[in-house]
């Protein structure tokens, strides 16, 4: 009888583990500055859930970088309405999907369609260093031209996570 109870208990643990959902991803909101002093603002959420081999990916991202002068302001705004791919390694998360970029040069605006990839690093937590979080964005248009930004977060936070839910 004890053996039967042990087998049932182990089977229950295995069944519960198999029903577990692993979720990875990142979320963040804030402001960053790159090495050239270009300011940016961001807001994103990206996640990938794996439950019994069924993978679901979702999220969004908004990013805008500011440049130019007060007489001729420039900006590059990227909007990704649907995250299509997410990967995580340690405290770094990479995600991407179809996106559009609105480019402003003075009073002139134009919209560019393409694909964006975000690399975000959660470097301000109790287990690692106190270095600022990092955000990097690469936008590639349909003609395969790229626009890149990489900066350190000075306001806000980026969180990269992995959790298991039953």
């Amino acid at each position: 009888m004890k053996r039967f109870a042990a087998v049932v208990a182990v089977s229950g643990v295995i069944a519960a583990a198999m029903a577990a959902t692993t979720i990875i991803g990142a979320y963040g909101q804030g402001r960053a500055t790159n090495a050239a002093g270009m300011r940016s603002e961001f807001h994103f959420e990206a996640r990938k859930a794996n439950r019994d081999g069924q993978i679901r990916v979702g999220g969004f991202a908004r990013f805008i970088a500011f440049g130019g002068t007060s007489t001729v302001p420039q900006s590059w705004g990227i909007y990704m309405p649907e995250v299509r791919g997410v990967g995580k390694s340690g405290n770094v998360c990479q995600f991407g999907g179809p996106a559009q970029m609105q480019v402003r040069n003075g009073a002139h605006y134009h919209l560019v369609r393409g694909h964006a990839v975000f690399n975000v690093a959660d470097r301000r937590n109790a287990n690692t260093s106190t270095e600022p979080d990092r955000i990097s964005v690469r936008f590639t248009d349909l003609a395969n031209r790229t626009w890149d930004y990489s900066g350190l977060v000075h306001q806000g936070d980026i969180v990269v996570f992995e959790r298991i839910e039953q």
Side-chain angles (χ1 to χ4, degrees), residues 73-149:
Q74 295 178 315
S75 65
W76 298 266
I78 298 171
Y79 176 59
M80 183 184 348
E82 183 181 349
V83 171
R84 298 254 179 101
V86 178
K88 178 188 166 300
S89 177
N91 66 337
V92 176
C93 185
Q94 182 180 68
F95 56 93
Q100 55 190 9
M101 176 189 278
Q102 184 177 35
V103 180
R104 176 185 184 190
N105 190 8
H108 304 290
Y109 293 85
H110 68 279
L111 188 67
V112 181
R113 298 194 188 283
H115 186 270
V117 175
F118 285 68
N119 278 291
V120 296
D122 182 358
R123 303 189 320 174
R124 286 191 290 200
N125 62 48
N127 298 331
T128 60
S129 71
T130 58
E131 293 182 45
D133 294 341
R134 176 179 295 278
I135 183 167
S136 298
V137 182
R138 171 169 273 193
F139 180 84
T140 305
D141 69 10
L142 299 177
N144 218 25
R145 294 175 295 212
T146 61
W147 180 88
D148 293 295
Y149 179 93

Side-chain angles (χ1 to χ4, degrees), residues 27-64:
Y27 59 89
Q29 184 171 354
R31 297 175 182 197
T33 304
N34 70 4
M38 183 183 289
R39 298 172 299 112
S40 69
E41 296 177 1
F42 61 88
H43 182 204
F44 64 84
E45 179 184 319
R47 67 200 168 286
K48 177 170 73 171
N50 184 347
R51 181 176 181 96
D52 299 331
Q54 299 292 323
I55 297 176
R56 298 183 71 191
V57 177
F60 70 93
R62 291 184 197 101
F63 175 89
I64 187 167

